[in-house]
């Protein structure tokens, strides 16, 4: 069973607008971490933001914030005030407490247009 | 630059040759992870190492692939007798296993097998 699901293969947003990228996950663990990474066309993987399963507040990091809904097992990334440089692939990932590896979704390609 | 270093950035090999990919973790990080990304896919875990120890190699192909993280020097991912299906981007990540255990990625090595 797929543990991380990103249902939006591609998204478009106009510059300065906000955009939400969806991510749902599946785990039976009570303790886990959720991560978002950005992969621009140059190919590197850039860590954006982290949410722990016991965190009561939604994580925020600059223009990035998470809409974490634990009961729904979703952790959507919100990018506010989009910039042209936000155009990239965005990957959601999860690490369960007793595991070492990150499990990645298939990604969402975001394109920001002027 | 104190980030994760990988070299080479691009590697071309003919079928049957060996590929050696190197990774130096971030300063203060003693945990190294290798992932593989096929075109248009998310990253897939291969192996997790600490200095001189392989902790989890559940994602490594059983043949031709090996990894090490010696006491001195970078971590090495070695692929013997490469085949065309080995063409991919190989990413190294490091962490220090703190409360979030965030993995920070290097720029990747893009392996092309002719």
């Amino acid at each position: 069973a797929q543990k991380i699901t990103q249902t939006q293969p591609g998204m478009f947003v106009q510059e300065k607008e906000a955009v939400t990228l969806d991510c749902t996950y599946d785990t039976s663990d009570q303790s886990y971490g959720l991560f978002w990474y950005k992969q621009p066309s140059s190919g590197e993987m850039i860590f954006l933001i982290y949410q722990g399963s016991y965190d009561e507040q939604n994580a925020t990091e600059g223009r990035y914030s998470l809409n974490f809904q634990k009961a729904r097992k979703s952790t959507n990334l919100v990018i506010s005030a989009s910039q042209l440089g936000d155009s990239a692939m965005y990957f959601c990932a999860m690490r369960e407490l007793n595991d070492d590896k990150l499990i990645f979704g298939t990604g969402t390609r975001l394109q920001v247009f002027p | 630059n104190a980030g994760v270093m990988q070299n080479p950035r691009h590697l071309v090999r003919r079928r049957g040759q060996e590929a050696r990919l190197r990774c130096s973790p971030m300063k203060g990080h003693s945990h190294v992870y290798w992932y593989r990304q096929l075109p248009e896919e998310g990253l897939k875990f291969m192996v997790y190492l600490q200095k001189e120890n392989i902790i989890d190699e559940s994602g490594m192909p059983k043949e031709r692939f090996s990894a090490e993280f010696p006491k001195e020097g970078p971590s090495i991912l070695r692929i013997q007798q490469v085949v065309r299906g080995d063409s991919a981007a190989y990413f190294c990540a490091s962490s220090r296993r703190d409360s979030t255990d965030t993995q920070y990625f290097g720029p990747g090595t893009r392996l092309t097998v002719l």
Side-chain angles (χ1 to χ4, degrees):
Chain A
Q2 194 165 2
K3 289 203 168 188
I4 299 285
T5 303
Q6 294 182 255
T7 57
Q8 306 155 314
M11 290 284 285
F12 289 88
V13 65
Q14 190 166 29
E15 201 176 5
K16 300 180 185 177
E17 296 294 311
V19 63
T20 298
L21 306 183
D22 296 341
C23 174
T24 58
Y25 58 92
D26 182 26
T27 180
S28 56
D29 281 14
Q30 295 301 310
S31 296
Y32 49 88
L34 299 160
F35 304 80
W36 279 88
Y37 289 85
K38 172 184 178 181
Q39 187 175 41
S41 58
S42 51
E44 67 268 36
M45 292 288 288
I46 302 167
F47 166 69
L48 295 178
I49 193 167
Y50 164 84
Q51 180 86 46
S53 58
Y54 290 116
D55 293 343
E56 295 186 352
Q57 293 195 336
N58 288 333
T60 63
E61 194 70 51
R63 292 186 300 110
Y64 305 110
S65 61
L66 293 181
N67 181 4
F68 177 48
Q69 299 187 47
K70 192 170 181 177
R72 293 186 176 185
K73 294 187 175 177
S74 73
T75 179
N76 299 337
L77 175 68
V78 180
I79 305 175
S80 62
S82 297
Q83 302 172 355
L84 295 177
D86 293 335
S87 295
M89 284 289 287
Y90 288 82
F91 290 97
C92 178
M94 175 179 68
R95 189 181 75 83
E96 294 165 331
L97 176 65
N98 295 317
D99 202 353
D100 312 302
K101 58 184 172 289
L102 287 171
I103 301 169
F104 283 84
T106 52
T108 295
R109 184 175 299 279
L110 176 66
Q111 297 202 42
V112 182
F113 59 94
Chain B
N1 187 343
V4 179
M5 307 283 285
Q6 287 189 252
N7 65 81
R9 294 292 304 275
H10 300 274
L11 183 61
V12 179
R13 286 288 179 265
R14 296 191 181 279
R15 282 178 294 170
Q17 292 184 320
E18 179 180 287
R20 291 171 70 89
L21 289 61
R22 289 176 289 278
C23 168
S24 296
M26 284 178 71
K27 189 174 182 180
H29 289 190
S30 58
H31 303 265
V32 166
Y33 312 79
W34 286 93
Y35 293 81
R36 177 165 62 178
Q37 184 180 32
L38 296 173
E40 305 302 319
E41 293 187 10
L43 278 67
K44 296 287 197 298
F45 170 79
M46 299 181 75
V47 62
Y48 161 44
L49 310 102
Q50 294 178 28
K51 285 284 187 182
E52 300 184 280
N53 285 304
I54 296 175
I55 308 301
D56 181 355
E57 56 181 349
S58 59
M60 286 277 271
K62 294 288 185 262
E63 298 178 349
R64 303 188 297 108
F65 285 72
S66 62
E68 62 177 8
F69 189 15
K71 187 176 181 181
E72 300 291 337
S75 175
I76 306 286
L77 179 67
R78 183 181 178 206
I79 311 172
Q80 296 178 287
Q81 300 175 346
V82 295
V83 301
R84 287 208 173 124
D86 297 333
S87 295
Y90 292 83
F91 287 92
C92 169
S94 72
S95 75
R96 57 182 175 189
R97 299 294 269 196
D98 58 10
S99 58
T100 68
D101 194 29
T102 298
Q103 295 181 21
Y104 294 91
F105 284 81
T109 294
R110 273 127 189 100
L111 172 65
T112 301
V113 179
L114 302 177

